[in-house]
Amino acid sequence: MKNHQLLVLLFLLGLPIWAQQSESQKELEKSGNTVFEIKNPDFQLSPQTGMTKQHWKDAAMYLLQGAFGYIHSLDDPMKFPKQEGKSYPQDEGKVPTEKLEGLCRTLFVAAPLLKENPSLVINNIKVADYYRYQITKLTDPQSASYIVPRSKNGGPSQNLVEFGALSISLLVNPEVLWDPLTQEQKDALAKTMLSYGDGPTVNSNWKFFNIFVLSFFKEKGYAVNEKLLVEYLDKSLLDYRGNGWYNDSPAYDYYSMWAFQMYGMIWSEYFGKANYPEYTAKFIKNFKDLKDNYPYLFSQNGEMIMWGRSISYRTGAVVPFPLMGFEGDATTNYGWMRRIASGVIKQFFTHPDFMKDNVPTLGFYGAFEPAVQVYSCRGSVYWMGKIFLGLLVPDDNPFWTAKENEGAWKTEFEKNKVYNKFQGKSEILITDYPNIGASEVRAWCNAKVKDDWQKFRSTENYNRLSYNSAFLWQADGENGEVAMNYVIKNKANQWEAFRLYTFKKFEDGIYYRDVVLETDENIKFNLADIPLANGILRVDKNNSAVSFAMRLGHHALPKLDGEIKTTVRKIKNHEVTIIDNGKYQLAMIPLLGWDKSEVVTAKGLHPEANESSVINLSNNYVPQKEQSTVYATLMLWKKSGEKWSNKELLAVKKIGFSSKENTVNVTLSNGEKKLVKY
């Protein structure tokens, strides 16, 4: 297919224009990769995405065919080309676990397809035969795929995770994956898998891996440690914090929603209802809570935000939406739920950078090392295959039959307004911006680099001031390049980002946090975020007792087809800096406290393009009694091509700090007043 034909097709399918910036179709074909195409889209049933249940099956096949491109015989493991960087394996000792991940995670994609078509063949391999054969090899000491049972005093490991995953697939499709095995093979699997399931775990969503192993083998008549099963069920429920959110010890991220909620619903549907109805009722009750806020975390186009660890799992984040089909709740807007879920599938599967070597990259769209965790190997990405557990929902379910719609974006939201949803105990703020159709989140981050041995909870995956669906986070540069955060020149003469945040309150549309620099407790701020219709007003108070250089960054823009254009305007003695990449415009206006504004270019820091630009403000802070300690900043946005009025750019009419009251009075250009109370 020629380049212009591809772009026309992508446009007709409603794809974002970012598709233009990726490598050409000719280069893709040369590399052996192809972009997923939605064939025969149904815009009657699905006017936004064109996707039906059949297209979900097609997407699953697209993913599975790429994986089976590495399988030429039953003995070939699901082992894929390693992505350069910190992902494992770094030595041969981890290869068996790498193979186990590839096997168990691709099975999430295969199990629902095999439920409907047990005779499925890919690359001349009978898929069911392959998985049954490989599963039995896990217990064969002579096999290169052999997994040693957990020793008596052994702790939790990645093997527990993958056996938990395997148990889910066995539970939902035992007819194809379990029943044909010999009794000897079944007993050997039970011995090995229970050695992990009947043992210690990590105090996080990992408890569910033990739960699924114990539950599956109990279902199949094996003696299991039911006391431990109940203990882990109780502890998992104790992680619940309301509004659909669980706490993942200690973080909140996508996993805090989709992993816990998916595990609870799948366990309840396939085991809990018949065996532990009282626990099932609790999981279902918690599941019902998510529909009042989780859909609002996705953009109008059904795009997810780049936020938190394991974002390479991508489409897994939307599996709660099809699982709503198991509820049979007539009040659910199934058309909106499917629009979001299909939108996220399209967001990634139709992006030209999604696949490399016919395997999804570790990253967001393409490979992006700052977003990779050390516990991931290349096969880890197939955790995203959990979205296809949604295929277990029957064809005649309203999740599949309801007409697609845009939900709150059409029925609740009005242009030139902003909408906040605060999540109470989890302290998460979800914000929606109808003017650009973007969603945003602010959430927990309080992890020290020196204590973060896995090096992800203290990083840009969590420490940005906010995360937005329209603007992917950019990694920090060594020279102070920063996006959507402060960086401070520390005692070691290095730029250090804020990461130790303490939530204070959400009041009158203002989200309050305190923050302290990890390496110097004398550097501390009160932060106040005020979401506006076209961006954010920051009113931050510097309480530091020492001098230092500091920078604050807006979101970054990737360089797409052409150069990023910069415009500088003066409005009532305020300097306005605007950058435009042909898709979005970002404007930054310093109101109080700042010395300088500049556009900083970067290479290799942005997940969408090698080159990017960000507006940074800077100040050399010197503590003085007479000096105002408030830094007020407008961080605004619009779609490219839209004009800015002076009133929009100078969205603040008046601002004044009272040191006596420790407050800031703000009058917005639309007449609205805000009182910031630290």
Side-chain angles (χ1 to χ4, degrees):
M1 182 180 291
K2 294 181 180 178
N3 226 14
H4 72 277
Q5 292 175 314
L6 174 67
L7 292 176
V8 170
L9 176 63
L10 298 181
F11 175 77
L12 290 174
L13 295 179
L15 279 176
I17 303 303
W18 45 240
Q20 297 175 6
Q21 63 89 17
S22 301
E23 60 180 311
S24 70
Q25 185 67 12
K26 184 176 181 180
E27 290 169 326
L28 285 169
E29 291 171 354
K30 185 178 179 180
S31 69
N33 293 308
T34 57
V35 174
F36 175 67
E37 293 186 37
I38 300 170
K39 297 178 180 177
N40 301 314
D42 185 345
F43 291 113
Q44 294 297 314
L45 180 64
S46 303
Q48 279 74 39
T49 68
M51 292 185 70
T52 65
K53 189 176 186 180
Q54 181 57 52
H55 296 110
W56 281 46
K57 295 176 187 175
D58 294 345
M61 280 293 293
Y62 168 76
L63 208 57
L64 205 57
Q65 285 169 339
F68 268 82
Y70 293 87
I71 307 303
H72 304 286
S73 73
L74 295 183
D75 284 307
D76 290 338
M78 280 289 180
K79 186 177 183 300
F80 310 107
K82 186 184 184 303
Q83 185 169 301
E84 184 179 348
K86 66 174 80 78
S87 62
Y88 91 91
Q90 300 290 344
D91 57 69
E92 288 299 311
K94 294 292 184 181
V95 170
T97 301
E98 177 194 16
K99 294 177 181 176
L100 183 64
E101 282 208 41
L103 178 71
C104 297
R105 298 190 177 206
T106 56
L107 190 52
F108 282 128
V109 188
L113 294 175
L114 290 170
K115 189 97 173 171
E116 183 173 310
N117 180 14
S119 301
L120 181 65
V121 175
I122 300 178
N123 197 26
N124 297 317
I125 300 291
K126 292 183 178 180
V127 175
D129 287 353
Y130 174 79
Y131 280 105
R132 287 193 298 261
Y133 178 81
Q134 284 290 325
I135 288 169
T136 61
K137 288 299 176 182
L138 299 176
T139 61
D140 180 1
Q142 306 306 313
S143 170
S145 299
Y146 176 63
I147 300 297
V148 180
R150 184 183 69 90
S151 63
K152 184 177 180 180
N153 297 317
S157 67
Q158 193 67 36
N159 291 343
L160 167 63
V161 176
E162 306 315 320
F163 280 134
L166 177 56
S167 296
I168 294 173
S169 293
L170 293 173
L171 191 63
V172 302
N173 193 356
E175 301 85 359
V176 173
L177 300 172
W178 174 262
D179 293 348
L181 302 182
T182 67
Q183 191 59 48
E184 182 180 4
Q185 290 169 333
K186 292 175 180 177
D187 292 346
L189 273 170
K191 182 179 179 181
T192 295
M193 292 174 69
L194 282 171
S195 74
Y196 289 92
D198 183 7
T201 193
V202 176
N203 184 29
S204 67
N205 69 87
W206 278 41
K207 295 185 285 287
F208 276 104
F209 304 133
N210 303 73
I211 288 168
F212 275 105
V213 172
L214 294 168
S215 297
F216 174 74
F217 285 104
K218 174 178 167 60
E219 175 80 1
K220 295 306 172 186
Y222 288 85
V224 303
N225 187 343
E226 291 192 56
K227 181 180 178 182
L228 187 65
L229 172 57
V230 170
E231 177 186 332
Y232 287 154
L233 287 169
D234 284 328
K235 287 182 175 178
S236 294
L237 287 165
L238 286 174
D239 291 331
Y240 190 61
R241 297 294 183 269
N243 299 100
W245 293 92
Y246 288 78
N247 181 261
D248 206 19
S249 299
Y252 290 98
D253 49 34
Y254 280 110
Y255 240 50
S256 304
M257 177 63 80
W258 78 263
F260 281 89
Q261 294 288 15
M262 180 214 70
Y263 294 140
M265 281 301 284
I266 292 291
W267 180 86
S268 297
E269 186 69 20
Y270 287 90
F271 180 77
K273 286 180 178 178
N275 296 277
Y276 292 94
E278 68 279 15
Y279 285 98
T280 293
K282 293 176 182 177
F283 282 122
I284 291 177
K285 181 179 182 297
N286 294 349
F287 185 83
K288 287 181 182 296
D289 293 344
L290 75 86
K291 68 187 65 174
D292 293 326
N293 71 88
Y294 194 49
Y296 295 80
L297 191 58
F298 297 84
S299 78
Q300 185 173 358
N301 284 336
E303 297 156 328
M304 68 180 289
I305 299 169
M306 182 177 171
W307 166 51
R309 72 185 181 94
S310 300
I311 58 169
S312 59
Y313 300 164
R314 299 159 169 115
T315 56
V318 286
V319 68
F321 298 127
L323 297 186
M324 288 179 184
F326 286 138
E327 286 185 295
D329 184 349
T331 66
T332 300
N333 185 346
Y334 290 104
W336 186 25
M337 300 304 101
R338 192 176 77 255
R339 189 273 176 275
I340 296 171
S342 294
V344 171
I345 292 174
K346 284 184 64 174
Q347 179 182 3
F348 297 105
F349 280 49
T350 59
H351 196 290
D353 295 340
F354 174 63
M355 288 277 203
K356 184 180 180 182
D357 309 311
N358 293 310
V359 177
T361 56
L362 283 166
F364 196 67
Y365 293 128
F368 188 57
E369 184 66 7
V372 178
Q373 281 75 61
V374 295
Y375 56 73
S376 290
C377 67
R378 190 65 182 277
S380 298
V381 295
Y382 291 102
W383 212 242
M384 74 175 69
K386 289 180 178 178
I387 182 58
F388 298 114
L389 293 174
L391 293 173
L392 299 170
V393 175
D395 293 359
D396 60 356
N397 189 277
F399 178 80
W400 300 115
T401 61
K403 186 175 181 179
E404 232 179 36
N405 64 78
E406 293 185 307
W409 295 95
K410 291 298 184 184
T411 61
E412 296 179 33
F413 299 160
E414 298 177 21
K415 295 290 186 180
N416 299 316
K417 290 188 177 181
V418 64
Y419 295 86
N420 293 308
K421 277 186 172 287
F422 181 62
Q423 305 309 310
K425 287 184 179 179
S426 67
E427 301 168 353
I428 294 169
L429 180 67
I430 297 171
T431 304
D432 292 300
Y433 299 93
N435 283 358
I436 63 168
S439 57
E440 185 176 73
V441 66
R442 293 167 176 82
W444 173 95
C445 183
N446 196 309
K448 295 181 178 180
V449 170
K450 70 182 186 68
D451 299 329
D452 186 11
W453 65 275
Q454 288 186 310
K455 298 292 183 278
F456 62 84
R457 287 199 175 102
S458 63
T459 70
E460 297 93 329
N461 290 278
Y462 292 91
N463 69 24
R464 305 295 85 174
L465 293 166
S466 65
Y467 295 86
N468 191 293
S469 62
F471 311 108
L472 308 190
W473 61 256
Q474 175 173 288
D476 293 337
E478 293 182 357
N479 298 315
E481 309 96 319
V482 61
M484 200 43 66
N485 202 357
Y486 284 91
V487 288
I488 308 296
K489 186 64 80 69
N490 63 22
K491 294 176 182 177
N493 203 35
Q494 297 174 329
W495 290 105
E496 178 182 340
F498 277 151
R499 61 181 66 91
L500 302 183
Y501 299 95
T502 302
F503 172 79
K504 303 304 289 185
K505 60 183 175 179
F506 178 67
E507 183 178 272
D508 188 30
I510 306 174
Y511 190 79
Y512 294 89
R513 288 170 287 187
D514 290 347
V515 66
V516 61
L517 194 70
E518 178 180 346
T519 62
D520 190 345
E521 61 184 14
N522 290 307
I523 299 176
K524 49 191 176 183
F525 282 57
N526 303 130
L527 305 177
D529 299 38
I530 307 176
L532 306 174
N534 287 317
I536 303 163
L537 168 61
R538 301 206 58 80
V539 186
D540 301 329
K541 183 167 172 282
N542 187 345
N543 302 311
S544 306
V546 295
S547 301
F548 55 87
M550 56 187 278
R551 301 171 71 96
L552 170 67
H554 201 329
H555 288 298
L557 287 182
K559 180 182 176 182
L560 303 180
D561 275 351
E563 296 296 322
I564 296 174
K565 298 177 182 178
T566 299
T567 305
V568 179
R569 291 166 61 172
K570 284 278 188 179
I571 306 176
K572 295 182 179 179
N573 296 319
H574 290 288
E575 184 175 278
V576 178
T577 304
I578 303 170
I579 57 175
D580 186 335
N581 72 344
K583 183 180 178 183
Y584 289 109
Q585 307 173 68
L586 295 176
M588 200 164 189
I589 304 98
L591 301 175
L592 289 175
W594 296 105
D595 298 329
K596 183 182 177 184
S597 177
E598 63 179 316
V599 176
V600 178
T601 59
K603 289 188 177 182
L605 298 181
H606 199 279
E608 282 188 278
N610 183 50
E611 296 182 44
S612 58
S613 294
V614 60
I615 310 170
N616 278 188
L617 304 181
S618 58
N619 174 246
N620 290 310
Y621 174 74
V622 179
Q624 295 176 1
K625 289 183 179 180
E626 303 83 22
Q627 181 179 342
S628 169
T629 56
V630 171
Y631 292 81
T633 314
L634 281 165
M635 310 167 84
L636 308 178
W637 49 68
K638 268 183 179 287
K639 292 180 179 178
S640 187
E642 296 180 354
K643 293 184 178 180
W644 295 93
S645 68
N646 285 355
K647 187 176 180 180
E648 287 174 322
L649 287 169
L650 199 57
V652 173
K653 185 176 181 180
K654 187 178 179 182
I655 186 167
F657 171 55
S658 170
S659 57
K660 182 178 179 181
E661 301 294 331
N662 198 28
T663 60
V664 179
N665 277 288
V666 179
T667 302
L668 301 177
S669 297
N670 62 8
E672 187 179 354
K673 295 181 184 294
K674 294 284 186 181
L675 179 61
V676 180
K677 298 181 289 186
Y678 297 112

